[in-house]
Amino acid sequence: MLEIVDIHTGYGRTEVIHGVSLTVPDDGVVAIMGHNGAGKTSLLRAAVGLLPTKSGRITFDGKDITKAAPSKRVRHGIAYVPQGQQSFPQLSTMENLQVVADGRKRGKELVAEALDLFPALRELLSRKAGLLSGGQRQQLAIARALITEPKLLILDEPTEGIQPSVVAEIERTIIDLTNRGGLSVLLVEQHIGFALQAAQQYYVLQSGRVTSAGTGGASAEADVRTAMAI
């Protein structure tokens, strides 16, 4: 599905990702973990084309997308939900969904499916997105991404700064989505327990380098915590 091979990238002359390689398989979930400043978000931005790759290669579904524009990567089937529960604050919840659905053959059906995944949004369809709570905006952001019918969903800290009750709902939804098949997920997450529960494979980043990698599952938690403590 997605293959990142020995990429180097950064901001201006400052390199922040130093030769990282990872693979997200079909119908697979891969978690990236590490402390703040480890390079996790920069790696995701490179994967979606928002940060240019200085060297290395990125392929998706067997196609080289290293130099492809972000819009082209979206058309290939990559959806990205960045940090910060982003939305169009002056538009209603329904308008935020409709902006993505308009022009799609299954637009109405896709909106309905997204609302089935996040039923709490049904009562908020007329409310401006800027008035939603952080957890509600995050649900909206993920719902909007899913309306694009992605093959790969990239999530950057989906549970950051959200009330615990909504965190549990988002976690359940992500796990449910991945169990259905037909969708791969690349997940950056600080909650180690959830990340390892959802993922078949994990990578730990430190200072822009992979310092540990392995198979997901609860049994890996001690190894991950040890790797992050180094």
Side-chain angles (χ1 to χ4, degrees), residues 146-162:
L146 291 172
I147 289 173
T148 68
E149 298 183 279
K151 299 175 184 176
L152 172 66
L153 179 63
I154 298 180
L155 300 170
D156 192 358
E157 302 278 14
T159 64
E160 181 185 34
I162 295 174

Side-chain angles (χ1 to χ4, degrees), residues 167-182:
V167 166
E169 185 175 346
I170 290 174
E171 290 176 349
R172 284 195 301 270
T173 300
I174 293 171
I175 291 173
D176 180 52
L177 281 169
T178 58
N179 286 340
R180 293 182 185 184

